[in-house]
Amino acid sequence: MVSLFKKLSVAQKISLSFIIVIIIGSLLLSLPIMHYDSAPATTYLDHLFNTVSIVCVTGLSVFSIGDVYNGLGQAVVICLIQIGGLGLVSLISFSYYSINQRMSLEQQEILQSSIGNNSSADLRRYLFRIYKITFAIEGLVALLLMLDFIPRFGWQHGMFNSLFLAISAFCNAGFDNLGSNSLINYQLNWIVNLTIAFAIISGGLGFRNWMTLIDTMKSWLKERPHRFGLVKRKLRVQTRLVLATTAIILASGTALAWILEWDNPETIGSLSFYQQGLISFFQTVTMRTAGFATIDYTKTGHAANFIFMLQMLIGGAPGGTAGGVKLIVTAIIFLIFKSEFLGQTRVSVFHRTIPSQLIKQTLTILIFFFTILIVGYVCLLEFEPDIDPFKLLFEACSALATVGVSMDVTSHLSTESRWIVMALMFLGRVGPITVLISLRQKIEKTIHYAETDLVLG
Protein backbone atom coordinates (compact mmCIF):
# COMPACT_ATOMS: atom_id res chain seq x y z
CA MET A 1 0.00 0.00 0.00
CA VAL A 2 2.83 2.40 0.90
CA SER A 3 4.70 1.63 -2.32
CA LEU A 4 1.52 2.17 -4.31
CA PHE A 5 0.97 5.54 -2.63
CA LYS A 6 4.52 6.59 -3.49
CA LYS A 7 3.86 5.86 -7.17
CA LEU A 8 0.95 8.29 -7.28
CA SER A 9 1.41 11.76 -8.72
CA VAL A 10 1.36 14.87 -6.53
CA ALA A 11 -2.21 15.75 -7.46
CA GLN A 12 -3.38 12.16 -6.94
CA LYS A 13 -1.88 12.13 -3.44
CA ILE A 14 -3.71 15.36 -2.58
CA SER A 15 -6.99 13.94 -3.88
CA LEU A 16 -6.50 10.67 -2.00
CA SER A 17 -5.68 12.56 1.20
CA PHE A 18 -8.99 14.43 1.04
CA ILE A 19 -10.84 11.14 0.42
CA ILE A 20 -9.22 9.55 3.49
CA VAL A 21 -10.18 12.51 5.68
CA ILE A 22 -13.75 12.35 4.35
CA ILE A 23 -14.06 8.64 5.14
CA ILE A 24 -12.65 9.02 8.66
CA GLY A 25 -14.78 12.10 9.32
CA SER A 26 -17.99 10.45 8.11
CA LEU A 27 -17.37 7.41 10.32
CA LEU A 28 -16.79 9.63 13.35
CA LEU A 29 -19.86 11.79 12.73
CA SER A 30 -22.07 8.75 12.25
CA LEU A 31 -21.32 7.51 15.78
CA PRO A 32 -24.26 7.88 18.22
CA ILE A 33 -21.94 9.58 20.72
CA MET A 34 -21.73 12.54 18.35
CA HIS A 35 -25.52 13.06 18.26
CA TYR A 36 -28.12 14.59 20.51
CA ASP A 37 -30.44 12.04 22.14
CA SER A 38 -33.39 13.89 20.55
CA ALA A 39 -31.79 14.09 17.08
CA PRO A 40 -33.86 12.85 14.13
CA ALA A 41 -33.00 9.51 12.56
CA THR A 42 -30.13 9.67 10.08
CA THR A 43 -28.26 7.27 7.82
CA TYR A 44 -24.57 6.86 7.05
CA LEU A 45 -25.17 8.37 3.61
CA ASP A 46 -26.52 11.50 5.31
CA HIS A 47 -23.36 11.83 7.38
CA LEU A 48 -21.15 11.03 4.38
CA PHE A 49 -22.85 13.75 2.35
CA ASN A 50 -22.41 16.27 5.14
CA THR A 51 -18.79 15.25 5.68
CA VAL A 52 -17.96 15.70 2.01
CA SER A 53 -19.54 19.13 2.21
CA ILE A 54 -17.67 19.94 5.44
CA VAL A 55 -14.22 18.82 4.27
CA CYS A 56 -14.77 20.45 0.87
CA VAL A 57 -15.90 23.59 2.77
CA THR A 58 -19.10 23.80 0.74
CA GLY A 59 -22.04 24.24 3.10
CA LEU A 60 -24.69 22.03 1.51
CA SER A 61 -26.35 19.83 4.10
CA VAL A 62 -29.18 17.32 4.26
CA PHE A 63 -29.85 18.24 7.88
CA SER A 64 -28.99 21.04 10.28
CA ILE A 65 -25.63 20.64 12.01
CA GLY A 66 -26.94 22.24 15.19
CA ASP A 67 -30.00 19.96 15.35
CA VAL A 68 -28.16 16.63 15.05
CA TYR A 69 -24.57 16.94 16.32
CA ASN A 70 -23.93 17.64 19.99
CA GLY A 71 -20.98 19.58 21.37
CA LEU A 72 -18.53 16.76 20.63
CA GLY A 73 -19.88 16.30 17.11
CA GLN A 74 -19.72 20.03 16.44
CA ALA A 75 -16.11 20.07 17.68
CA VAL A 76 -15.32 17.36 15.10
CA VAL A 77 -17.06 19.47 12.46
CA ILE A 78 -14.86 22.45 13.38
CA CYS A 79 -11.72 20.32 12.98
CA LEU A 80 -12.87 18.98 9.61
CA ILE A 81 -13.69 22.49 8.38
CA GLN A 82 -10.25 23.71 9.43
CA ILE A 83 -8.58 20.77 7.69
CA GLY A 84 -10.59 21.32 4.53
CA GLY A 85 -10.07 25.06 4.55
CA LEU A 86 -6.33 25.14 5.08
CA GLY A 87 -5.61 21.96 3.18
CA LEU A 88 -4.85 18.57 4.62
CA VAL A 89 -1.35 18.46 3.18
CA SER A 90 -0.32 21.74 4.76
CA LEU A 91 -1.41 20.38 8.15
CA ILE A 92 0.69 17.26 7.67
CA SER A 93 3.67 19.30 6.52
CA PHE A 94 3.26 21.65 9.46
CA SER A 95 3.51 18.61 11.73
CA TYR A 96 6.76 17.64 10.02
CA TYR A 97 8.18 21.04 10.82
CA SER A 98 6.90 20.98 14.40
CA ILE A 99 8.92 17.85 15.22
CA ASN A 100 11.97 19.16 13.31
CA GLN A 101 11.83 16.56 10.57
CA ARG A 102 13.38 17.44 7.26
CA MET A 103 11.08 17.39 4.26
CA SER A 104 12.04 15.74 1.02
CA LEU A 105 11.81 17.59 -2.28
CA GLU A 106 8.78 15.49 -3.16
CA GLN A 107 7.03 16.47 0.08
CA GLN A 108 7.79 20.13 -0.59
CA GLU A 109 6.33 19.80 -4.08
CA ILE A 110 3.12 18.29 -2.68
CA LEU A 111 2.84 21.06 -0.11
CA GLN A 112 3.41 23.84 -2.63
CA SER A 113 0.69 22.42 -4.87
CA SER A 114 -1.83 22.39 -2.03
CA ILE A 115 -1.22 25.87 -0.63
CA GLY A 116 -0.56 27.82 -3.82
CA ASN A 117 3.13 28.57 -3.25
CA ASN A 118 5.31 28.30 -6.34
CA SER A 119 8.62 28.82 -4.63
CA SER A 120 10.57 26.36 -2.53
CA ALA A 121 12.50 29.14 -0.84
CA ASP A 122 11.89 29.34 2.94
CA LEU A 123 8.89 27.02 2.84
CA ARG A 124 8.94 26.65 6.62
CA ARG A 125 8.45 30.39 7.15
CA TYR A 126 5.67 30.39 4.56
CA LEU A 127 3.81 27.65 6.44
CA PHE A 128 4.09 29.33 9.81
CA ARG A 129 2.86 32.61 8.33
CA ILE A 130 -0.20 30.83 6.94
CA TYR A 131 -1.13 29.67 10.41
CA LYS A 132 -0.39 33.00 12.03
CA ILE A 133 -2.67 34.75 9.54
CA THR A 134 -5.38 32.11 9.91
CA PHE A 135 -5.48 32.07 13.70
CA ALA A 136 -5.15 35.85 13.96
CA ILE A 137 -8.14 36.50 11.68
CA GLU A 138 -10.24 33.69 13.13
CA GLY A 139 -9.47 34.91 16.64
CA LEU A 140 -10.39 38.50 15.78
CA VAL A 141 -13.63 37.40 14.13
CA ALA A 142 -14.53 35.20 17.11
CA LEU A 143 -13.95 38.09 19.53
CA LEU A 144 -16.15 40.42 17.48
CA LEU A 145 -18.94 37.85 17.30
CA MET A 146 -18.74 37.34 21.06
CA LEU A 147 -19.89 40.93 21.51
CA ASP A 148 -23.28 39.80 20.24
CA PHE A 149 -23.34 36.08 21.01
CA ILE A 150 -22.30 36.09 24.69
CA PRO A 151 -25.19 38.36 25.76
CA ARG A 152 -27.47 36.29 23.53
CA PHE A 153 -26.37 32.71 24.38
CA GLY A 154 -24.37 33.07 27.58
CA TRP A 155 -20.62 32.69 28.07
CA GLN A 156 -20.16 29.02 27.18
CA HIS A 157 -22.43 28.77 24.16
CA GLY A 158 -21.65 32.33 23.07
CA MET A 159 -17.90 31.66 22.91
CA PHE A 160 -18.32 28.27 21.24
CA ASN A 161 -20.78 29.56 18.63
CA SER A 162 -18.49 32.51 17.91
CA LEU A 163 -15.50 30.22 17.37
CA PHE A 164 -17.56 27.86 15.20
CA LEU A 165 -18.77 30.67 12.93
CA ALA A 166 -15.34 32.35 12.80
CA ILE A 167 -13.64 29.19 11.54
CA SER A 168 -16.48 28.34 9.18
CA ALA A 169 -16.54 31.87 7.71
CA PHE A 170 -12.78 32.22 7.23
CA CYS A 171 -12.64 28.78 5.61
CA ASN A 172 -15.59 29.79 3.40
CA ALA A 173 -17.45 26.69 4.63
CA GLY A 174 -20.90 28.19 5.17
CA PHE A 175 -21.84 25.91 8.07
CA ASP A 176 -23.36 27.22 11.27
CA ASN A 177 -24.71 25.64 14.45
CA LEU A 178 -27.53 28.15 14.94
CA GLY A 179 -30.39 26.17 13.38
CA SER A 180 -31.84 25.35 9.98
CA ASN A 181 -32.26 28.96 8.76
CA SER A 182 -28.55 29.78 8.37
CA LEU A 183 -28.18 33.49 9.26
CA ILE A 184 -31.65 34.60 8.15
CA ASN A 185 -32.55 35.41 11.76
CA TYR A 186 -29.53 37.78 11.83
CA GLN A 187 -30.08 39.49 8.47
CA LEU A 188 -30.34 42.96 10.06
CA ASN A 189 -27.60 42.42 12.64
CA TRP A 190 -24.76 44.69 11.55
CA ILE A 191 -22.15 43.12 13.85
CA VAL A 192 -22.80 39.57 12.66
CA ASN A 193 -23.16 40.49 8.97
CA LEU A 194 -20.09 42.70 8.64
CA THR A 195 -17.90 40.45 10.82
CA ILE A 196 -18.82 37.32 8.85
CA ALA A 197 -18.35 39.22 5.57
CA PHE A 198 -14.87 40.32 6.68
CA ALA A 199 -13.94 36.71 7.49
CA ILE A 200 -15.24 35.43 4.14
CA ILE A 201 -13.36 38.06 2.15
CA SER A 202 -10.19 37.46 4.19
CA GLY A 203 -10.24 33.72 3.55
CA GLY A 204 -10.92 34.25 -0.14
CA LEU A 205 -8.03 36.66 -0.74
CA GLY A 206 -5.39 33.93 -0.63
CA PHE A 207 -2.47 33.55 1.79
CA ARG A 208 0.22 34.83 -0.57
CA ASN A 209 -1.74 38.02 -1.11
CA TRP A 210 -2.16 38.49 2.63
CA MET A 211 1.58 38.10 3.09
CA THR A 212 2.24 40.66 0.37
CA LEU A 213 -0.18 43.12 1.98
CA ILE A 214 1.40 42.62 5.41
CA ASP A 215 4.94 43.06 4.07
CA THR A 216 3.90 46.15 2.13
CA MET A 217 2.25 47.66 5.19
CA LYS A 218 5.36 47.02 7.26
CA SER A 219 7.46 48.69 4.58
CA TRP A 220 5.07 51.65 4.47
CA LEU A 221 5.19 52.10 8.24
CA LYS A 222 8.97 51.95 8.14
CA GLU A 223 9.60 54.23 5.15
CA ARG A 224 6.39 56.31 5.30
CA PRO A 225 6.33 57.40 1.63
CA HIS A 226 4.42 60.59 0.88
CA ARG A 227 2.61 59.19 -2.11
CA PHE A 228 0.26 56.21 -2.27
CA GLY A 229 1.65 55.29 -5.69
CA LEU A 230 4.94 54.24 -4.10
CA VAL A 231 3.07 51.78 -1.89
CA LYS A 232 1.02 50.45 -4.80
CA ARG A 233 4.14 49.72 -6.82
CA LYS A 234 5.45 47.53 -4.01
CA LEU A 235 2.50 45.16 -4.39
CA ARG A 236 2.89 42.09 -6.59
CA VAL A 237 0.97 42.16 -9.86
CA GLN A 238 -1.14 39.21 -8.75
CA THR A 239 -2.07 40.92 -5.48
CA ARG A 240 -3.05 44.11 -7.28
CA LEU A 241 -5.12 42.12 -9.77
CA VAL A 242 -6.86 40.15 -6.99
CA LEU A 243 -7.68 43.30 -5.02
CA ALA A 244 -8.96 45.14 -8.10
CA THR A 245 -11.07 42.20 -9.28
CA THR A 246 -12.45 41.62 -5.78
CA ALA A 247 -13.48 45.27 -5.45
CA ILE A 248 -15.16 45.28 -8.86
CA ILE A 249 -17.10 42.07 -8.20
CA LEU A 250 -18.21 43.17 -4.73
CA ALA A 251 -19.33 46.59 -5.94
CA SER A 252 -21.07 45.39 -9.11
CA GLY A 253 -22.59 42.35 -7.38
CA THR A 254 -24.02 44.44 -4.56
CA ALA A 255 -25.48 46.95 -7.00
CA LEU A 256 -27.05 44.26 -9.19
CA ALA A 257 -28.56 42.35 -6.25
CA TRP A 258 -29.92 45.62 -4.87
CA ILE A 259 -31.42 46.73 -8.16
CA LEU A 260 -32.99 43.34 -8.94
CA GLU A 261 -34.51 42.80 -5.49
CA TRP A 262 -35.28 46.29 -4.14
CA ASP A 263 -39.00 45.95 -4.94
CA ASN A 264 -39.37 42.31 -3.86
CA PRO A 265 -41.30 42.36 -0.54
CA GLU A 266 -40.34 38.73 0.17
CA THR A 267 -36.63 39.57 0.34
CA ILE A 268 -35.58 43.21 0.85
CA GLY A 269 -38.46 45.23 -0.63
CA SER A 270 -39.98 46.17 2.74
CA LEU A 271 -36.70 47.17 4.39
CA SER A 272 -35.00 50.54 4.74
CA PHE A 273 -32.37 51.87 2.33
CA TYR A 274 -29.41 50.94 4.55
CA GLN A 275 -30.86 47.52 5.42
CA GLN A 276 -31.30 46.73 1.73
CA GLY A 277 -27.68 47.71 1.14
CA LEU A 278 -26.44 45.49 3.99
CA ILE A 279 -28.32 42.42 2.77
CA SER A 280 -27.34 42.98 -0.88
CA PHE A 281 -23.69 43.34 0.11
CA PHE A 282 -23.77 40.20 2.25
CA GLN A 283 -25.28 38.09 -0.54
CA THR A 284 -22.53 39.18 -2.91
CA VAL A 285 -19.87 38.31 -0.34
CA THR A 286 -21.35 34.93 0.60
CA MET A 287 -21.76 33.91 -3.05
CA ARG A 288 -17.97 34.00 -3.26
CA THR A 289 -18.10 30.32 -2.11
CA ALA A 290 -19.03 30.97 1.54
CA GLY A 291 -22.57 29.57 1.73
CA PHE A 292 -24.15 31.60 4.51
CA ALA A 293 -27.58 33.03 3.73
CA THR A 294 -29.56 35.94 5.17
CA ILE A 295 -32.45 35.61 2.68
CA ASP A 296 -34.50 32.72 1.30
CA TYR A 297 -33.30 31.99 -2.24
CA THR A 298 -36.60 30.36 -3.13
CA LYS A 299 -38.13 33.83 -2.83
CA THR A 300 -35.57 35.78 -4.83
CA GLY A 301 -36.18 36.44 -8.52
CA HIS A 302 -34.66 34.31 -11.27
CA ALA A 303 -32.55 37.25 -12.49
CA ALA A 304 -30.95 37.73 -9.07
CA ASN A 305 -30.33 34.02 -8.63
CA PHE A 306 -28.71 33.85 -12.06
CA ILE A 307 -26.35 36.67 -11.08
CA PHE A 308 -25.64 34.77 -7.88
CA MET A 309 -24.71 31.68 -9.93
CA LEU A 310 -22.22 33.70 -11.95
CA GLN A 311 -20.65 34.97 -8.74
CA MET A 312 -20.45 31.40 -7.43
CA LEU A 313 -18.53 30.26 -10.48
CA ILE A 314 -16.03 33.12 -10.18
CA GLY A 315 -15.06 32.26 -6.61
CA GLY A 316 -12.05 33.66 -4.77
CA ALA A 317 -8.31 34.05 -5.18
CA PRO A 318 -5.85 31.16 -5.74
CA GLY A 319 -4.16 29.76 -2.64
CA GLY A 320 -7.07 30.72 -0.37
CA THR A 321 -10.02 28.95 1.18
CA ALA A 322 -12.52 29.84 -1.56
CA GLY A 323 -13.53 27.73 -4.56
CA GLY A 324 -14.79 28.54 -8.05
CA VAL A 325 -12.66 28.98 -11.15
CA LYS A 326 -10.77 31.69 -9.20
CA LEU A 327 -10.47 35.44 -9.61
CA ILE A 328 -7.28 35.30 -11.64
CA VAL A 329 -8.88 33.04 -14.25
CA THR A 330 -11.85 35.40 -14.51
CA ALA A 331 -9.57 38.43 -14.78
CA ILE A 332 -7.43 36.80 -17.49
CA ILE A 333 -10.53 35.95 -19.54
CA PHE A 334 -11.59 39.60 -19.38
CA LEU A 335 -8.06 40.73 -20.28
CA ILE A 336 -8.03 38.39 -23.28
CA PHE A 337 -11.30 39.91 -24.48
CA LYS A 338 -9.99 43.42 -23.88
CA SER A 339 -6.76 42.70 -25.74
CA GLU A 340 -8.58 41.23 -28.75
CA PHE A 341 -11.18 44.01 -28.78
CA LEU A 342 -8.49 46.70 -28.80
CA GLY A 343 -6.43 44.86 -31.42
CA GLN A 344 -3.45 44.31 -29.13
CA THR A 345 -0.99 41.55 -29.99
CA ARG A 346 -0.36 40.55 -26.38
CA VAL A 347 -2.45 40.21 -23.25
CA SER A 348 -1.18 42.52 -20.51
CA VAL A 349 -2.08 43.86 -17.09
CA PHE A 350 -0.47 46.69 -15.10
CA HIS A 351 2.15 47.10 -17.83
CA ARG A 352 3.14 43.44 -17.63
CA THR A 353 2.61 40.78 -20.33
CA ILE A 354 0.76 37.60 -19.39
CA PRO A 355 2.63 34.53 -20.76
CA SER A 356 0.87 32.45 -23.42
CA GLN A 357 1.32 29.32 -21.29
CA LEU A 358 -0.71 30.96 -18.52
CA ILE A 359 -3.45 31.80 -21.00
CA LYS A 360 -3.56 28.15 -22.16
CA GLN A 361 -3.83 26.97 -18.56
CA THR A 362 -6.66 29.45 -17.97
CA LEU A 363 -8.64 28.13 -20.92
CA THR A 364 -7.94 24.54 -19.86
CA ILE A 365 -9.27 25.20 -16.35
CA LEU A 366 -12.40 26.83 -17.76
CA ILE A 367 -13.12 24.00 -20.18
CA PHE A 368 -12.59 21.35 -17.53
CA PHE A 369 -14.66 23.24 -14.93
CA PHE A 370 -17.64 23.80 -17.20
CA THR A 371 -17.45 20.27 -18.58
CA ILE A 372 -17.82 18.93 -15.05
CA LEU A 373 -20.66 21.39 -14.39
CA ILE A 374 -22.57 20.38 -17.53
CA VAL A 375 -22.14 16.66 -16.91
CA GLY A 376 -23.24 17.00 -13.30
CA TYR A 377 -26.22 19.17 -14.22
CA VAL A 378 -27.38 16.76 -16.92
CA CYS A 379 -27.19 13.89 -14.43
CA LEU A 380 -29.27 15.86 -11.92
CA LEU A 381 -31.85 16.56 -14.63
CA GLU A 382 -32.03 12.86 -15.40
CA PHE A 383 -32.37 11.75 -11.77
CA GLU A 384 -34.69 14.58 -10.64
CA PRO A 385 -37.34 15.10 -13.35
CA ASP A 386 -39.82 16.51 -10.81
CA ILE A 387 -37.56 19.32 -9.53
CA ASP A 388 -37.40 22.71 -11.25
CA PRO A 389 -34.39 22.65 -13.67
CA PHE A 390 -33.41 26.18 -12.62
CA LYS A 391 -33.18 25.04 -8.99
CA LEU A 392 -31.06 22.07 -10.05
CA LEU A 393 -28.68 24.36 -11.96
CA PHE A 394 -28.43 26.55 -8.85
CA GLU A 395 -27.62 23.44 -6.80
CA ALA A 396 -25.00 22.22 -9.30
CA CYS A 397 -23.24 25.60 -9.41
CA SER A 398 -23.33 25.83 -5.63
CA ALA A 399 -21.81 22.36 -5.24
CA LEU A 400 -19.06 22.66 -7.84
CA ALA A 401 -18.07 26.16 -6.73
CA THR A 402 -18.15 24.95 -3.07
CA VAL A 403 -20.61 27.68 -2.13
CA GLY A 404 -23.26 25.78 -0.21
CA VAL A 405 -26.40 27.86 -0.74
CA SER A 406 -29.51 26.10 -1.99
CA MET A 407 -33.03 26.77 -3.21
CA ASP A 408 -34.34 24.18 -0.74
CA VAL A 409 -33.30 21.27 -2.95
CA THR A 410 -30.52 19.41 -1.12
CA SER A 411 -32.67 17.50 1.39
CA HIS A 412 -35.08 16.41 -1.38
CA LEU A 413 -32.47 14.82 -3.64
CA SER A 414 -32.51 11.12 -4.41
CA THR A 415 -29.61 8.85 -3.47
CA GLU A 416 -28.21 8.99 -7.01
CA SER A 417 -28.35 12.78 -7.06
CA ARG A 418 -26.62 13.02 -3.70
CA TRP A 419 -23.70 11.05 -5.10
CA ILE A 420 -23.57 13.45 -8.05
CA VAL A 421 -23.56 16.48 -5.74
CA MET A 422 -20.85 14.90 -3.58
CA ALA A 423 -18.72 14.37 -6.68
CA LEU A 424 -19.23 18.00 -7.70
CA MET A 425 -18.23 19.24 -4.25
CA PHE A 426 -15.12 17.08 -4.21
CA LEU A 427 -14.01 18.12 -7.69
CA GLY A 428 -14.72 21.75 -6.88
CA ARG A 429 -12.61 21.66 -3.72
CA VAL A 430 -9.67 19.67 -5.01
CA GLY A 431 -9.61 22.06 -7.94
CA PRO A 432 -10.06 21.56 -11.67
CA ILE A 433 -6.37 21.98 -12.38
CA THR A 434 -5.38 19.49 -9.63
CA VAL A 435 -7.78 16.87 -10.94
CA LEU A 436 -6.64 17.54 -14.47
CA ILE A 437 -2.98 17.10 -13.53
CA SER A 438 -3.79 13.84 -11.74
CA LEU A 439 -5.27 12.43 -14.94
CA ARG A 440 -2.41 13.48 -17.19
CA GLN A 441 0.49 11.23 -18.01
CA LYS A 442 3.88 12.29 -16.80
CA ILE A 443 5.43 11.93 -20.24
CA GLU A 444 5.02 15.09 -22.30
CA LYS A 445 5.58 15.09 -26.02
CA THR A 446 6.07 18.28 -27.97
CA ILE A 447 5.11 18.04 -31.64
CA HIS A 448 5.32 21.01 -33.98
CA TYR A 449 2.99 21.15 -36.97
CA ALA A 450 2.57 23.71 -39.71
CA GLU A 451 0.23 26.59 -38.83
CA THR A 452 -3.30 26.79 -40.24
CA ASP A 453 -5.95 29.48 -40.52
CA LEU A 454 -9.52 29.01 -39.22
CA VAL A 455 -12.61 31.19 -39.60
CA LEU A 456 -14.26 31.88 -36.21
CA GLY A 457 -17.43 33.64 -37.29
Side-chain angles (χ1 to χ4, degrees), residues 27-72:
L27 292 174
L28 287 175
L29 291 179
S30 63
L31 296 176
I33 195 176
M34 300 290 178
H35 307 160
Y36 287 116
D37 294 335
S38 59
T42 55
T43 66
Y44 175 73
L45 181 61
D46 295 332
H47 297 289
L48 177 62
F49 185 96
N50 276 15
T51 305
V52 172
S53 185
I54 291 168
V55 175
C56 296
V57 290
T58 304
L60 292 175
S61 178
V62 293
F63 56 76
S64 172
I65 296 296
D67 293 340
V68 174
Y69 300 132
N70 56 24
L72 180 59

Side-chain angles (χ1 to χ4, degrees), residues 128-382:
F128 273 93
R129 293 191 73 184
I130 284 180
Y131 279 78
K132 286 180 181 179
I133 292 171
T134 298
F135 296 142
I137 295 178
E138 290 177 349
L140 174 61
V141 171
L143 289 174
L144 291 174
L145 290 174
M146 287 179 195
L147 297 176
D148 182 273
F149 283 0
I150 289 179
R152 188 186 300 271
F153 300 107
W155 281 96
Q156 182 177 353
H157 290 290
M159 294 176 67
F160 183 81
N161 293 346
S162 298
L163 181 63
F164 190 105
L165 276 181
I167 294 175
S168 180
F170 180 79
C171 293
N172 280 219
F175 282 97
D176 67 86
N177 59 344
L178 304 176
S180 58
N181 293 326
S182 190
L183 299 181
I184 292 179
N185 296 334
Y186 301 85
Q187 65 175 191
L188 302 180
N189 188 313
W190 289 81
I191 294 179
V192 173
N193 276 258
L194 295 182
T195 302
I196 294 296
F198 166 74
I200 294 170
I201 295 172
S202 299
L205 280 181
F207 294 112
R208 292 185 67 197
N209 296 316
W210 265 112
M211 294 176 192
T212 301
L213 289 172
I214 293 172
D215 293 340
T216 302
M217 182 59 65
K218 288 181 179 178
S219 177
W220 183 82
L221 292 174
K222 182 178 180 179
E223 301 175 9
R224 294 189 179 277
H226 298 288
R227 292 186 300 169
F228 176 75
L230 296 178
V231 178
K232 186 173 68 173
R233 284 196 292 271
K234 291 179 179 292
L235 293 176
R236 296 168 53 248
V237 171
Q238 173 150 336
T239 302
R240 293 166 63 183
L241 185 59
V242 165
L243 293 176
T245 308
T246 299
I248 292 172
I249 292 175
L250 289 179
S252 60
T254 300
L256 284 172
W258 200 340
I259 292 171
L260 293 173
E261 290 295 311
W262 73 273
D263 59 345
N264 185 349
E266 294 188 291
T267 54
I268 64 174
S270 59
L271 302 177
S272 68
F273 178 84
Y274 294 105
Q275 291 171 340
Q276 288 184 351
L278 174 65
I279 294 176
S280 300
F281 171 73
F282 188 85
Q283 305 320 306
T284 299
V285 173
T286 196
M287 288 302 167
R288 304 282 307 289
T289 80
F292 297 101
T294 57
I295 59 175
D296 186 347
Y297 297 111
T298 63
K299 298 178 180 179
T300 52
H302 286 334
N305 281 337
F306 182 75
I307 295 298
F308 291 155
M309 283 190 277
L310 294 179
Q311 294 170 353
M312 293 180 199
L313 297 177
I314 292 174
T321 59
V325 297
K326 306 300 184 185
L327 287 173
I328 296 298
V329 170
T330 304
I332 290 177
I333 292 299
F334 172 78
L335 292 170
I336 292 174
F337 171 79
K338 175 186 173 184
S339 174
E340 189 65 25
F341 185 79
L342 297 178
Q344 299 171 343
T345 57
R346 295 184 180 276
V347 180
S348 61
V349 60
F350 300 130
H351 307 292
R352 296 290 188 275
T353 299
I354 298 177
S356 59
Q357 183 62 29
L358 193 60
I359 294 175
K360 292 179 182 178
Q361 292 174 356
T362 297
L363 297 177
T364 302
I365 292 173
L366 273 181
I367 293 173
F368 185 85
F369 193 91
F370 281 98
T371 299
I372 296 298
L373 176 60
I374 292 171
V375 172
Y377 178 51
V378 170
C379 290
L380 290 179
L381 290 174
E382 178 66 22

Side-chain angles (χ1 to χ4, degrees), residues 94-142:
F94 182 78
S95 300
Y96 273 106
Y97 281 128
S98 298
I99 58 179
N100 296 321
Q101 290 186 2
R102 296 188 62 181
M103 296 182 66
S104 66
L105 292 177
E106 183 182 16
Q107 291 170 335
Q108 291 188 18
E109 183 183 1
I110 296 173
L111 176 59
Q112 292 160 25
S113 300
S114 65
I115 60 181
N117 184 33
N118 58 2
S119 174
S120 60
D122 206 0
L123 191 55
R124 177 177 181 176
R125 181 171 179 267
Y126 184 85
L127 272 177
F128 273 93
R129 293 191 73 184
I130 284 180
Y131 279 78
K132 286 180 181 179
I133 292 171
T134 298
F135 296 142
I137 295 178
E138 290 177 349
L140 174 61
V141 171

